[in-house]
């Protein structure tokens, strides 16, 4: 950390009698959690306005009357699937059409959000969709606080603050206040990464399990901790030295975390198998939405060729891979976010390339790459630059909500999913 950044991190103490005035006149003197909470609430208030405007213009749709209110509008799309999972549970038999093909069903939606939503609904007495919306909003705020603490491991207070603001204003960040599992997953993932960076491997375990049971995060996280563990073992072998007792305990805990992460990655498909008796129940359900079987990496190749042609398509895909690899390995701003966060981004990108069907939902699925928000903050300390990023992200958020969240039937039926 540079001397200038260290100076940024130092905050002048505020005398108790002047605290009320300082809270209004000097936001920089606020406690860190209040700074982050205020920035996050402001970002969600902007998303509220965007959703409200889009809802006012919403026409005929599959869920409700035209021009719905905000609270109804944010519960469409997958929110209704989470509601089905919470109220009806997961089917013991996969639904089939007349040809024996698996139909869309709740097994595609991980259980943490439905379980919490059902529990809160039972305690408070509000509808499940309302309880899941409330959970998502609170989880998003908590996630912002954890993200800031994670970023603070690599940067000054001010840079970590701006990195967190960029995450809160990300073009798809509106998803953090709707009944989707993204905000819960962001909270658990950020907490697991923070514990990993601090080498608190046992503390990371419950967060890894919760992350893997809220969204499909187990595979890339298992790869992350496994590669880091293998590197530590290789370093010991290469140096031909015996670890001391503390390092041995750390290595054992790290290995246990790797095992937990890999087990958590398989837990939901295993539960679907146990419940339905079909070993491929989860995979069959997931692939219903893509209209074809699961062949790793092939969808991206097909998309590139189908969009840009047999020559330019593969060239563009290769250029994307090369640029991504260069950014994670060599870009100065990205290198400053630490090995663990860069490796997480690499593992998650490879996971998306291997298993994701590229479509409009891809934008939303990029949210777990949130550590790159800190890299964006490292690019420049200029206020003009940082406010410009916030402005551009906010404008793109309007595009995302109006284009993808609002429903408008395509000529062939249906609409692009958010």
């Amino acid at each position: 950390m540079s001397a200038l950044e260290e100076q940024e991190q130092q905050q002048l103490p505020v005398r108790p009698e002047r605290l009320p005035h300082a809270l209004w006149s000097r936001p920089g003197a606020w406690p860190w959690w209040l700074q982050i909470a205020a920035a996050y609430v402001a970002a969600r208030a902007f998303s509220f306005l965007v959703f409200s405007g889009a809802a006012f213009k919403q026409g005929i749709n599959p869920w409700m009357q035209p021009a719905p209110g905000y609270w109804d509008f944010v519960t469409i799309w997958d929110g209704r699937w989470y509601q089905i999972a919470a109220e009806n549970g997961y089917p013991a038999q996969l639904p089939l059409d007349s040809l024996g093909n698996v139909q869309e069903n709740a097994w595609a939606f991980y259980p943490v959000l439905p379980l919490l939503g059902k529990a809160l609904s039972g305690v408070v007495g509000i509808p499940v969709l309302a309880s899941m919306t409330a959970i998502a909003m609170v989880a998003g705020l908590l996630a912002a606080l954890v993200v800031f603490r994670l970023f603070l491991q690599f940067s000054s207070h001010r840079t970590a603050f701006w990195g967190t603001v960029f995450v809160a204003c990300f073009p798809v960040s509106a998803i953090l206040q709707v009944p989707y599992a993204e905000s819960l997953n962001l909270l658990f993932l950020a907490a697991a990464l923070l514990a990993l960076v601090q080498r608190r491997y046992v503390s990371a375990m419950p967060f890894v399990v919760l992350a893997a049971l809220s969204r499909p995060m187990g595979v890339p996280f298992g790869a992350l901790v496994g590669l880091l563990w293998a590197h530590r073992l290789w370093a010991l072998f290469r140096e031909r030295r015996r670890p001391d007792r503390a390092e041995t305990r750390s290595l054992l805990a790290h290995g246990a975390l790797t095992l937990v992460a890999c087990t958590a990655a398989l837990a939901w498909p295993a539960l679907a198998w146990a419940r339905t008796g079909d070993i491929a129940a989860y995979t069959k359900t997931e692939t219903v939405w893509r209209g074809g079987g699961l062949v790793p990496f092939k969808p991206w190749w097909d998309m590139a060729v189908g969009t840009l042609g047999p020559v330019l398509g593969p060239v563009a895909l290769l250029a994307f891979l090369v640029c991504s690899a260069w950014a994670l390995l060599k870009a100065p701003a990205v290198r400053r976010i630490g090995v663990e966060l860069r490796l997480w981004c690499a593992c998650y990108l490879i996971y998306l390339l291997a298993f994701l069907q590229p479509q409009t939902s891809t934008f939303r699925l990029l949210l777990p790459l949130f550590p790159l928000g800190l890299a964006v903050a490292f690019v420049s300390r200029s206020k003009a630059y940082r406010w410009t990023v916030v402005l551009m992200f906010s404008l793109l958020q309007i595009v995302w909500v109006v284009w993808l969240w609002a429903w408008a039937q395509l000529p062939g039926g249906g609409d692009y999913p958010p």
Side-chain angles (χ1 to χ4, degrees):
M1 188 183 301
S2 66
L4 184 57
E5 287 179 322
E6 291 178 351
Q7 185 178 1
E8 285 182 359
Q9 200 166 6
Q10 296 175 355
Q11 300 184 35
L12 295 176
V14 179
R15 289 182 296 179
E17 64 272 16
R18 293 187 56 82
L19 183 58
H21 173 73
L23 288 176
W24 289 105
S25 62
R26 290 176 52 195
W30 295 1
W32 69 269
W33 55 268
L34 185 56
Q35 295 178 32
I36 298 302
Y40 184 81
V41 170
R44 298 287 64 80
F46 175 79
S47 299
F48 168 82
L49 295 176
V50 175
F51 272 132
S52 298
F56 181 75
K57 302 294 290 185
Q58 176 65 65
I60 297 174
N61 63 90
W63 300 282
M64 59 195 68
Q65 295 296 318
Y70 168 83
W71 294 106
D72 288 328
F73 187 61
V74 297
T75 64
I76 63 177
W77 296 104
D78 289 353
R80 299 307 171 107
W81 277 111
Y82 283 112
Q83 178 188 18
I84 291 172
E87 293 179 345
N88 304 326
Y90 295 89
Q93 293 184 334
L94 296 178
L96 306 175
D97 63 13
S98 58
L99 299 177
N101 299 312
V102 175
Q103 299 297 287
E104 296 176 354
N105 66 86
W107 281 110
F109 301 91
Y110 281 59
V112 171
L113 177 60
L115 290 174
L116 291 177
K118 184 177 181 178
L120 181 61
S121 176
V123 171
V124 182
I126 59 176
V128 165
L129 274 173
S131 67
M132 291 192 298
T133 304
I135 289 169
M137 295 174 69
V138 172
L141 174 58
L142 296 176
L145 299 174
V146 179
V147 166
F148 172 78
R149 301 304 299 180
L150 174 62
F151 287 177
L152 205 59
Q153 307 300 306
F154 304 96
S155 70
S156 69
H157 178 102
R158 182 173 297 177
T159 302
F161 170 82
W162 278 102
T164 308
V165 168
F166 294 159
V167 174
C169 295
F170 194 63
V172 299
S173 62
I175 204 70
L176 299 175
Q177 63 197 75
V178 307
Y180 273 48
E182 267 72 6
S183 53
L184 276 173
N185 184 252
L186 180 63
L187 170 61
F188 300 142
L189 177 60
L193 288 172
L194 176 59
L196 178 66
V197 167
Q198 296 176 337
R199 295 200 170 189
R200 295 184 291 110
Y201 302 112
V202 175
S203 299
M205 292 179 185
F207 297 115
V208 171
V209 173
L210 289 169
L213 291 176
S214 58
R215 292 281 305 156
M217 292 287 116
V219 171
F221 203 94
L224 165 67
V225 293
L227 288 171
L228 290 173
W229 187 49
H231 180 266
R232 294 181 66 188
L233 294 175
W234 171 249
L236 284 175
F237 174 78
R238 185 182 55 190
E239 296 169 6
R240 299 183 183 277
R241 66 179 179 85
R242 293 173 61 90
D244 59 24
R245 182 173 300 178
E247 189 173 11
T248 298
R249 287 197 299 266
S250 176
L251 285 167
L252 290 174
H254 194 162
L257 175 61
T258 303
L259 180 61
V260 168
C262 294
T263 303
L266 300 175
W268 188 236
L271 287 170
W273 174 19
R275 173 70 169 161
T276 64
D278 188 336
I279 191 173
Y282 171 73
T283 304
K284 288 179 180 179
T285 299
E286 276 286 357
T287 54
V288 170
W289 274 267
R290 66 178 65 190
L294 176 61
V295 180
F297 300 104
K298 186 175 183 294
W300 288 90
W301 177 271
D302 292 341
M303 185 270 295
V305 172
T307 304
L308 300 175
V311 177
L312 186 57
V315 171
L317 183 59
L318 178 62
F320 168 75
L321 295 175
V322 171
C323 291
S324 299
W326 177 86
L328 292 173
L329 292 173
K330 297 296 184 181
V334 180
R335 288 176 63 87
R336 296 178 68 180
I337 70 175
V339 173
E340 296 90 350
L341 299 189
R342 284 193 293 147
L343 186 56
W344 160 250
C345 292
C347 290
Y348 186 68
L349 277 174
I350 293 171
Y351 171 79
L352 292 182
L353 289 170
F355 299 110
L356 174 67
Q357 174 78 22
Q359 55 175 311
T360 48
S361 295
T362 303
F363 300 115
R364 170 171 58 88
L365 299 181
L366 297 179
L367 188 61
L369 297 174
F370 74 90
L372 296 179
L374 180 60
V376 174
F378 273 134
V379 170
S380 173
R381 295 178 58 253
S382 164
K383 288 185 178 180
Y385 162 78
R386 290 174 171 175
W387 278 110
T388 299
V389 172
V390 171
L391 176 62
M392 294 305 298
F393 279 3
S394 300
L395 292 175
L396 288 173
Q397 186 177 151
I398 297 174
V399 173
W400 184 80
V401 171
V402 173
W403 175 37
L404 294 178
W405 190 266
W407 195 88
Q409 183 168 315
L410 297 171
D415 191 18
Y416 296 121

